[in-house]
Amino acid sequence: MSLSSELNKALKIKETKRSKHLFPLKDSTFRSKDLIQGIKVILSKDVTMSKITKKFEKTFTKKIKSKYSLMVNSGSSANLLAIQCLTNPYRKNRLKKGDKVLIPSICWSTSLWPIIQSGLKPVFVDVDKKNLNINLDDLKKKISKKTKALMLVHVLGVSTDMEKLTKILSKNKIFLIEDTCESIGAKFKNKFLGTYGDFSTFSFYFSHQISSVEGGMICCKNREDENIIKSLRSHGWAKGLSNQKKIENKFKKINKKFLFINSGFNFRPTDIQAAIGLSQFNSLDYFIKIKKINRKKIINRLVLDQRWNNQVNFIENDSKVKPSWFGLTMLLNKKYKNKKNKIFDKMDKLGLENRPIISGNFLKQPAVKKYNLLQRSKDFPNANYIHEHGLFVGLKNQVLKKTEVDKFANIFFNSFNI
Ligand SMILES: Cc1ncc(COP(=O)(O)O)c(C=O)c1O
């Protein structure tokens, strides 16, 4: 049996066994052709970060139209590197301890913690109910002299008005980090999300639009930042930097193979991840299209059903945004608020796995309380509304058949019979 047919067989077995849900949140994007690329790297025995990682970075830069892209082992590492680069002593214009960093209250844990881990102060900003993204009016109110950066989160495949946002930020000299971990391939006014900021980050974790198992990418706008990030990614090493020769000449007494010039982490990916990630990335448009088709099929089926009673409002993209849907995002109709948990539990039991919008209002999480972040969750009315009413379900990575869409609809409507 050929490697490809063995893999196809293995993939089929896994797919049926992997989830107890008919409609899981985590639907695999892996095809045998992606995994074969990873296996080829394993067989070559050149498995650590090397040529294939560079090839992925180059392809990514070209497609997204970023300036510099560096692959890392996760989106979380990319976020930490962006903040660590902004505070790094090699950076002329850098953030100092106690400087404030804005962040939407609907965010992911590792969008937030790098700010605190780097000695900076997070300032939470409320979000919009319409698109789940940062609220620009609240953002303006939260800016002070100490505000130096924004860790923006593009929520589940859509964004805020990037034109208005970048105007506010440049007027106030605020750095922008775009956490694009959930929104790869989405555009605002025909320009990819992740190309507006000083830094941007992407995740290739398993359940995302494309995957390298674990993995991520960080983009930046100039060579200096690229060199800082490269060094931080790999132990603080001088190896592989564009100015490596110059550094070696400066520190001639130290073995040039083991020359450390910065603080550091080990956030390197492997070439195995890069090979799988690159193969997936080459089909990014295809994956985005499938999700778009499935989303449309499901929504059309639900709203035309005689059982439709505005049970939910679907989150739509603003007209200037070309979305890259992560899942089917919705807000439960107010009238069901008190039955929310029962409805969501029943959905799950019937086979429609669901979860909150990212992690809800992050200020409600116990981890935040432990760190005394001063702001109160009750001061974020829209984030609270999303916390109380928001949910999303998976969209699968193969075009849904009519029978599947019917099953989806039956589960959905039956979940409200409680
Ligand atoms: C907004 C956001 N940022 C960062 C991350 C972290 O990415 P990773 O799981 O690759 O560490 C996630 C994870 O899904 C995310 O949703």
Side-chain angles (χ1 to χ4, degrees), residues 37-231:
Q37 294 309 316
I39 289 166
K40 274 190 192 164
V41 176
I42 295 171
L43 294 176
S44 79
K45 300 190 182 115
D46 271 332
V47 289
T48 55
M49 185 179 79
S50 183
K51 277 189 263 169
I52 319 259
T53 303
K54 279 214 176 88
K55 191 172 168 199
F56 186 11
E57 291 169 348
K58 237 177 157 175
T59 313
F60 193 91
T61 302
K62 200 167 162 211
K63 161 123 183 140
I64 300 284
K65 297 190 180 67
S66 61
K67 284 262 160 49
Y68 301 93
S69 312
L70 292 166
M71 190 183 178
V72 285
N73 60 355
S74 73
S76 302
S77 303
N79 279 348
L80 183 51
L81 285 179
I83 295 274
Q84 283 281 309
C85 181
L86 266 179
T87 55
N88 199 268
Y90 276 96
R91 203 172 202 277
K92 283 182 206 96
N93 185 2
R94 61 181 178 271
L95 271 59
K96 315 229 167 20
K97 288 249 169 316
D99 280 347
K100 292 186 175 173
V101 181
L102 301 159
I103 181 164
S105 40
I106 300 280
C107 65
W108 183 245
S109 121
T110 51
S111 323
L112 170 69
W113 293 108
I115 300 170
I116 295 159
Q117 287 155 352
S118 306
L120 305 168
K121 288 209 156 62
V123 175
F124 287 90
V125 180
D126 206 2
V127 295
D128 276 336
K129 273 198 253 176
K130 217 170 104 227
N131 58 25
L132 314 172
N133 276 264
I134 201 158
N135 178 291
L136 299 185
D137 293 325
D138 197 41
L139 176 94
K140 282 188 230 160
K141 284 186 209 150
K142 298 277 167 66
I143 294 173
S144 72
K145 276 194 182 141
K146 279 277 205 184
T147 309
K148 302 293 177 200
L150 163 65
M151 173 63 90
L152 180 69
V153 178
H154 297 302
V155 180
L156 297 167
V158 289
S159 80
T160 185
D161 187 318
M162 293 304 292
E163 229 164 35
K164 286 187 187 157
L165 173 74
T166 45
K167 260 188 204 144
I168 302 169
L169 298 182
S170 60
K171 191 173 148 214
N172 291 282
K173 295 194 172 65
I174 293 172
F175 290 110
L176 172 61
I177 303 164
E178 292 179 77
D179 179 337
T180 321
C181 287
E182 302 177 349
S183 302
I184 186 169
K187 289 177 175 172
F188 180 83
K189 276 190 115 183
N190 234 11
K191 186 168 145 62
F192 281 106
L193 299 185
T195 56
Y196 284 87
D198 301 280
F199 300 89
S200 62
T201 63
F202 298 83
S203 166
F204 312 130
Y205 179 62
F206 181 67
S207 58
H208 291 214
Q209 287 90 339
I210 59 157
S211 176
S212 60
V213 186
E214 294 271 6
M217 196 71 80
I218 173 165
C219 302
C220 62
K221 291 264 160 86
N222 58 63
R223 265 271 183 247
E224 290 70 32
D225 285 342
E226 193 212 20
N227 277 335
I228 293 171
I229 294 167
K230 251 190 193 171
S231 180

Side-chain angles (χ1 to χ4, degrees), residues 298-340:
I298 293 168
I299 294 178
N300 286 348
R301 174 69 180 78
L302 293 180
V303 300
L304 293 174
D305 194 291
Q306 54 183 356
R307 294 166 288 182
W308 177 250
N309 187 20
N310 294 309
Q311 285 89 341
V312 296
N313 291 319
F314 298 104
I315 300 299
E316 297 292 344
N317 53 294
D318 297 343
S319 60
K320 291 176 194 161
V321 176
K322 198 164 171 225
S324 166
W325 297 111
F326 192 103
L328 179 58
T329 29
M330 48 196 143
L331 295 173
L332 193 68
N333 190 309
K334 266 191 250 171
K335 64 187 171 196
Y336 297 106
K337 191 188 158 197
N338 295 334
K339 292 180 182 167
K340 178 184 93 169

